[in-house]
Amino acid sequence: MQERYVPQTIEHEAQEYWDRTGAFRVTEDPARPKYYCLSMFPYPSGKLHMGHVRNYTIGDVLTRYYRMRGYNVLQPMGWDAFGLPAENAAMANKVPPAKWTYDNIAYMRKQLQSLGFALDWQREIATCDPTYYKWNQWMFLKMLDKGIAYRKTQVVNWDPIDQTVLANEQVIEGRGWRTGAPVEKREIPGYYLKITQYAEELLEHVQKHLPGWPERVRLMQENWIGKSTGVRFAFPHDIRDASGALIGEGRMWVFTTRADTIMGVTFCAVAPEHPLATHAAAGNPSSRPSSRNASKGGTTEAELALKEKEGLPTGLHVTHPLTGDKIEVWVGNYVLMSYGDGAVMGVPAHDERDFAFAKKYGIPIRQVVGVAGETFSTEAWAEWYADKQRGRCVNSGQLDGLDLQGAVDKVAELLGARGLGEKKTTWRLRDWGISRQRYWGTPIPIIHCDEHGAVPVPEQDLPVVLPQDCVPDGSGNPLNRRADFLNVPCPKCGKPARRETDTMDTFMDSSWYFARYACPDNAATMLDERARYWMPVDQYIGGIEHAILHLLYSRFFTRAMRDEGLLETSEPFTNLLTQGMVLAEMYHYDSPEGRREWINPADVTVERDAKGRPLSARRVSDGQAVVADGIGTMSKSKNNGVDPQALIEQYGADTARFFIIFTSPPTQSLEWSDEGVDGSFRFLRRVWNFGAAFAQQCGKADGAAPDAAGPDAAAQAVRHEIHTILKQANYDVQRQQFNTVASGTMKILNALEKLPAGASPVKEEGLSILLRLLSPITPHLCHHLWRELGFGEDVLAAAWPEPDPAALEQDEIEYVVQISGKTRGNVRAPKSADREALQALALASPQIQKYVAGQPVRKVVVVPGRLINLVV
RNA sequence: GCCGGAAUGGCGGAAUUGGUAGACGCAGCGGACUCAAAAUCCGCCGACUAAUCAUCGUAAGGGUUCGAGUCCCUUUUCCGGCACCA
């Protein structure tokens, strides 16, 4: 066996072997239990980043582990290939998104292969391939048929200079990223998917039927769906538009979960797009610019929440449905047309936002809820004003004295009697808008005809293929200038018509790719019986940042496919592992010209004091002092990324994999450390060296039973230690805490190195345990040593190691002795010792007697096998 | 702002149900080997202390318990999501 550990050579050989033997190609096998292990597919941004390496290493460890456990394991890979970055790259480099994307895919595929992942590459998919997105279109048409997809207006960010729609990401502090112009809100038509139709089912299942998901993700989804019961009611009015017709049939509808405060309504607020608001703006020229003002700024919930609440009186009044009072209507910049009815009631006394709004505009504040022992003041807001538990109605006529539920019931009854309202369940969850005014996405299969309106493309004409050669330039969707794409005959009448140029949200692509991996080659149907074999995914792995949107859309889409008869399962992912982010140190220095430059941690040296604490940092190249900014996510802007490629080339894939697994538990963030990588490499080299010494001293493994070690107490102690570590490691694998599995392999090597040189059954057994335990993490090294040392043909085919119960047995147990809960010493006791014997042993120990010092023992607590606590 | 997390030595982390805090590794210090260096191997390594004992110590403050990193309450800081980034 070769003396030096040269990862590049053995990794290449192992990958060649797996490739040649088709080791990771899988087919449906009813005889074995199936295990579908899936990592979120990457966006082909150019090259792999550490987050990818971490994600896929975790998946690969699971894949190889379950395979050795005897499962039929599928682990596929593909590309989330549509999206905005390709258009940005096109603008920067004048390269069509298609070429950029496919080049990136080719490069990143090579990178993935060099990491030795147990992937079935025959199942690779790219969402920008017409054979894939054809089925987005097909499913969309099915949804249109069923009314699950529909068309309505949506609010978008509009850049007035580029005349284009901006993504939220392209809005920086309320301005367009390229033009710097203040962004406006605009209403345009778009397609929606009725995810709300599944709201009840999505909520119930996330609450009761997803035990394999982290509690926090389930909670986030639950809050996102946001079921709330309340009252929807109307303020009657007599406001007519220019033609004399009653606006909204004389009803202004609102929804509230706090109907108990209805007597405290002192104003109402409507969205700027609400019919009453547009009516007021039309009738009153002076309010027009202000109304436009309300439409400024971004569309995100976070922006609205942080924005100062601003309003504008419309001069219009509606009637309070119970008191008959006139209530003034305001336009509020914080009210969204797409939420409920686009109007809210304002109760300043019991809603913090309304309170601030009323103070600002001098609107009356009327207390209608009281809490015993508290005094209300209109001067300052207090938490208890909104207390749902302790509050009782006051100043509210016949509601007085009622609690929240009682008052809501009563109000619903009163309103119902007048035909002005009723109890209603509402959802925070909104329908999913899928139209994007962008080029690089799945074309929405619709044709617009002057006569027949929006006509679906007939099924046999699918896919509507996206032209491959467009180059976006920032001036909107280039499809609008492609005559060969735009001009089509209407499917209904054959007259000239125009193709829809909006494309689909890329979340559409990622909402079902997991099922397509089962049958990527099927040109005739979206999914077939193979999908029913592999689905659901047994283990899904990906970033916590997808906890809500991607996972919720996928759960919805899976149900839509189920209802289409394509799948039998409702939930796509049985178990979910949300991996943490990858972080690195950040350093910068400010140049004399005031320019801030971020320095890559690899180019920085740190001076330390005698205890290893950092003192100062300088740039290696010129000794320039730099400022440490702590740690943060690896990003281009902070220049603190570590390129996986350089790492693999220097240390090999196994070192990269081992470091990533060893350094943090999968669900926590991982902090990069070049020294840590060095340490991982040193460990793998020690494993190699141990194997080389074994080959030299012992030759080939002969499978001798460790019992043959006989009464050699030292060897048996090592064996006990190894099997104890193995037991813990198996527990850790099962609970997916792989970092301690990695440290377990280090402990086993430490134990093995205590054994004397030369062959021994304990050594051979220990090494075979070590190699198998380590093989999912560093498959190349273990593949090589397993064969080379004669343990077998292929470590993939080896059985997962189990501890020998006999080796775990111990005659004597070391007990911790505490006096009144403070640890004061240890005693060794036979494992058969009972409570009294343990107490006597503890009291007899000189180190313990010192602390007891003749005091009476009031109580004795014994934890079997661990601890004796004497309370004095 | 709302929802969801996290915090343990100089650093990453360990401690399964409340039971010896700091496993394993990194960095640091000392030594062996060497002409020397690298590599490797051995020892030390929370604070306080000359050292031992003792005491203190798991973001901060309080509580429950024979016993709290772990359970409860309050606070602080950092991170993820907020519907057109993926």
Side-chain angles (χ1 to χ4, degrees):
Chain A
M1 185 179 143
Q2 206 183 340
E3 226 168 86
R4 273 191 54 211
Y5 173 45
V6 184
Q8 287 73 15
T9 317
I10 63 161
E11 289 180 4
H12 183 78
E13 280 172 18
Q15 286 162 16
E16 215 276 312
Y17 173 89
W18 295 326
D19 205 32
R20 195 176 63 242
T21 58
F24 307 121
R25 254 180 255 152
V26 288
T27 51
E28 301 68 39
D29 176 0
R32 278 186 300 162
K34 69 101 183 172
Y35 191 87
Y36 183 1
C37 182
L38 180 67
S39 295
M40 290 179 184
F41 63 168
Y43 179 80
S45 55
K47 50 188 183 180
L48 288 185
H49 57 67
M50 278 306 167
H52 293 132
V53 180
R54 188 176 193 197
N55 198 164
Y56 305 139
T57 301
I58 293 168
D60 204 47
V61 168
L62 280 160
T63 294
R64 289 170 180 273
Y65 169 73
Y66 276 98
R67 183 181 172 126
M68 288 173 76
R69 283 280 192 199
Y71 288 82
N72 185 29
V73 186
L74 167 62
Q75 186 183 224
M77 184 53 71
W79 310 95
D80 189 11
F82 274 137
L84 203 50
E87 299 198 18
N88 295 341
M91 278 183 247
N93 311 320
K94 311 254 185 296
V95 178
K99 177 171 169 35
W100 183 82
T101 301
Y102 280 111
D103 286 353
N104 289 348
I105 288 174
Y107 183 76
M108 289 169 76
R109 185 191 299 117
K110 268 203 173 136
Q111 288 191 298
L112 286 174
Q113 286 164 343
S114 75
L115 280 155
F117 297 133
L119 294 163
D120 184 352
W121 282 103
Q122 290 194 317
R123 296 167 183 269
E124 180 181 1
I125 54 180
T127 57
C128 63
D129 189 319
T131 62
Y132 182 83
Y133 67 68
K134 170 184 176 177
W135 302 107
N136 284 350
Q137 297 172 341
W138 182 84
M139 193 66 192
F140 173 80
L141 294 180
K142 294 291 165 198
M143 289 175 158
L144 264 185
D145 281 348
K146 288 190 169 168
I148 293 177
Y150 65 97
R151 194 170 161 86
K152 74 166 183 186
T153 62
Q154 52 179 354
V155 180
V156 295
N157 300 305
W158 180 256
D159 186 318
I161 297 194
D162 269 352
Q163 293 284 300
T164 184
V165 175
L166 299 177
N168 284 335
E169 190 194 45
Q170 297 171 319
V171 179
I172 317 286
E173 286 165 10
R175 291 168 180 275
W177 66 322
R178 279 157 50 83
T179 63
V183 168
E184 294 170 12
K185 277 183 254 173
R186 273 225 176 167
E187 281 196 272
I188 57 169
Y191 283 92
Y192 282 79
L193 302 186
K194 228 181 245 175
I195 187 172
T196 52
Q197 188 170 310
Y198 291 85
E200 192 81 63
E201 192 190 337
L202 289 167
L203 178 66
E204 189 182 320
H205 278 241
V206 85
Q207 285 171 330
K208 296 183 196 155
H209 304 298
L210 283 174
W213 282 36
E215 175 67 21
R216 60 167 165 153
V217 175
R218 285 186 282 155
L219 249 178
M220 280 194 252
Q221 292 225 340
E222 202 176 312
N223 290 333
W224 186 262
I225 295 168
K227 182 179 186 172
S228 64
T229 49
V231 176
R232 179 174 182 259
F233 68 95
F235 290 83
H237 61 76
D238 191 25
I239 304 161
R240 290 167 191 278
D241 65 18
S243 65
L246 270 177
I247 294 175
E249 294 168 343
R251 300 273 188 275
M252 187 189 82
W253 289 94
V254 300
F255 174 81
T256 179
T257 56
R258 293 301 307 268
D260 59 316
T261 64
I262 193 168
M263 297 305 190
V265 172
T266 54
F267 73 99
C268 282
V270 298
E273 303 85 15
H274 192 278
L276 288 180
T278 50
H279 170 71
N284 177 5
S286 72
S287 77
R288 229 177 264 157
S290 314
S291 159
R292 196 179 303 146
N293 201 40
S295 73
K296 275 208 181 124
T299 57
T300 72
E301 189 188 333
E303 268 180 302
L304 291 173
L306 287 167
K307 191 156 73 172
E308 174 140 14
K309 309 294 173 281
E310 286 178 348
L312 190 77
T314 59
L316 302 172
H317 289 81
V318 292
T319 308
H320 192 290
L322 295 183
T323 64
D325 291 347
K326 288 282 161 212
I327 304 288
E328 186 170 22
V329 178
W330 290 64
V331 177
N333 66 348
Y334 61 99
V335 186
L336 281 183
M337 194 61 214
S338 50
Y339 256 61
D341 295 287
V344 294
M345 69 178 198
V347 184
H350 304 290
D351 180 283
E352 194 168 359
R353 282 184 321 179
D354 293 348
F355 187 89
F357 192 87
K359 293 294 270 186
K360 182 168 180 176
Y361 295 109
I363 296 170
I365 298 170
R366 188 188 304 148
Q367 183 197 4
V368 291
V369 171
V371 166
E374 302 278 8
T375 309
F376 188 88
S377 160
T378 57
E379 291 309 306
W381 174 259
E383 281 300 314
W384 71 264
Y385 295 177
D387 194 316
K388 292 182 191 174
Q389 262 84 50
R390 296 184 298 155
R392 297 290 177 273
C393 289
V394 297
N395 307 327
S396 299
Q398 50 181 316
L399 302 180
D400 281 357
L402 292 174
D403 65 1
L404 176 93
Q405 197 52 56
V408 170
D409 291 346
K410 185 76 186 165
V411 168
E413 184 195 321
L414 293 171
L415 289 167
R418 292 163 203 222
L420 285 175
E422 60 187 353
K423 276 199 192 169
K424 203 187 166 204
T425 300
T426 56
W427 305 84
R428 212 185 80 90
L429 182 68
R430 313 201 294 261
D431 278 343
W432 173 16
I434 57 154
S435 290
R436 298 290 180 271
Q437 296 69 42
R438 306 196 198 294
Y439 157 66
W440 192 235
T442 303
I444 293 178
I446 292 288
I447 292 165
H448 297 282
C449 169
D450 287 340
E451 212 167 304
H452 298 97
V455 182
V457 172
E459 205 175 305
Q460 68 271 16
D461 294 346
L462 296 183
V464 175
V465 176
L466 186 72
Q468 296 281 290
D469 51 358
C470 292
V471 183
D473 57 9
S475 66
N477 188 345
L479 290 177
N480 287 317
R481 299 185 291 269
R482 281 293 295 245
D484 59 338
F485 178 80
L486 283 173
N487 299 323
V488 282
C490 168
K492 281 199 177 151
C493 60
K495 288 185 192 152
R498 186 185 153 94
R499 215 180 264 291
E500 169 74 47
T501 57
D502 279 0
T503 53
M504 293 182 194
D505 180 6
T506 57
F507 273 126
M508 190 96 167
D509 311 328
S510 57
S511 288
W512 68 282
Y513 76 105
F514 42 85
R516 184 68 180 177
Y517 278 134
C519 50
D521 53 1
N522 194 327
T525 60
M526 185 170 178
L527 301 177
D528 60 30
E529 67 285 351
R530 290 173 289 172
R532 294 185 278 280
Y533 171 86
W534 288 110
M535 287 296 289
V537 173
D538 294 278
Q539 180 67 63
Y540 197 36
I541 305 142
I544 183 71
E545 66 274 20
H546 296 289
I548 298 175
L549 292 181
H550 163 59
L551 292 174
L552 192 62
Y553 291 147
S554 298
R555 295 182 61 220
F556 157 65
F557 219 89
T558 300
R559 284 169 172 77
M561 291 190 290
R562 174 199 67 192
D563 293 349
E564 197 55 46
L566 295 166
L567 283 178
E568 280 147 16
T569 49
S570 300
E571 289 294 344
F573 315 120
T574 306
N575 294 288
L576 175 68
L577 192 162
T578 52
Q579 111 220 10
M581 322 221 84
V582 181
L583 315 174
E585 288 165 316
M586 303 178 288
Y587 297 96
H588 79 267
Y589 94 102
D590 293 316
S591 68
E593 305 85 57
R595 207 163 31 87
R596 174 156 296 188
E597 195 180 332
W598 293 92
I599 317 293
N600 193 283
D603 303 327
V604 172
T605 61
V606 177
E607 286 110 73
R608 293 170 189 279
D609 69 9
K611 296 200 165 179
R613 286 175 219 146
L615 290 171
S616 63
R618 9 192 107 253
R619 178 158 57 188
V620 175
S621 57
D622 57 1
Q624 169 68 46
V626 297
V627 180
D629 293 278
I631 53 163
T633 50
M634 283 190 181
S635 71
K636 262 190 195 140
S637 64
K638 296 288 165 63
N639 187 23
N640 64 340
V642 175
D643 182 10
Q645 201 54 41
L647 185 76
I648 296 164
E649 279 160 22
Q650 192 183 346
Y651 292 97
D654 280 340
T655 294
R657 297 171 57 123
F658 186 88
F659 170 77
I660 276 178
I661 292 297
F662 172 69
T663 300
S664 288
T667 54
Q668 278 179 37
S669 59
L670 180 149
E671 192 178 322
W672 198 260
S673 145
D674 288 332
E675 294 81 9
V677 173
D678 252 333
S680 297
F681 179 76
R682 282 201 295 267
F683 168 66
L684 297 186
R685 189 168 54 193
R686 269 174 66 208
V687 174
W688 176 273
N689 291 341
F690 190 84
F694 181 91
Q696 202 189 11
Q697 297 164 12
C698 320
K700 296 281 182 189
D702 56 13
D707 297 346
D712 179 347
Q716 289 302 349
V718 168
R719 183 158 191 261
H720 169 77
E721 195 182 344
I722 289 172
H723 282 259
T724 305
I725 298 164
L726 173 61
K727 187 183 173 200
Q728 179 66 42
N730 278 347
Y731 175 77
D732 290 342
V733 173
Q734 170 247 309
R735 64 175 172 148
Q736 300 180 341
Q737 187 173 285
F738 303 125
N739 57 322
T740 48
V741 178
S743 63
T745 63
M746 288 172 142
K747 289 177 187 175
I748 290 176
L749 182 60
N750 289 346
L752 283 172
E753 285 180 337
K754 286 191 273 191
L755 290 170
S760 84
V762 168
K763 186 184 278 185
E764 183 181 316
E765 184 204 36
L767 183 53
S768 103
I769 289 173
L770 171 62
L771 291 178
R772 283 177 286 164
L773 201 53
L774 192 56
S775 67
I777 306 172
T778 62
H780 308 92
L781 174 65
C782 296
H783 170 83
H784 184 92
L785 290 178
W786 189 259
R787 285 167 72 90
E788 194 75 21
L789 301 179
F791 287 107
E793 164 74 14
D794 187 348
V795 69
L796 279 170
W800 189 258
E802 291 290 354
D804 175 359
L808 296 172
E809 288 290 324
Q810 241 183 336
D811 297 336
E812 271 203 329
I813 297 172
E814 187 163 79
Y815 277 82
V816 173
V817 183
Q818 297 185 334
I819 305 297
S820 299
K822 290 210 171 207
T823 301
R824 297 301 187 185
N826 307 77
V827 290
R828 293 189 70 83
K831 76 179 169 193
S832 57
D834 62 9
R835 201 182 161 84
E836 284 70 33
L838 288 169
Q839 184 179 347
L841 261 172
L843 281 169
S845 154
Q847 55 180 144
I848 297 305
Q849 275 183 336
K850 187 164 83 180
Y851 293 99
V852 179
Q855 302 168 80
V857 175
R858 289 195 291 122
K859 188 177 169 187
V860 181
V861 181
V862 173
V863 181
R866 301 193 84 147
L867 167 141
I868 308 157
N869 185 11
L870 306 172
V871 185
V872 296

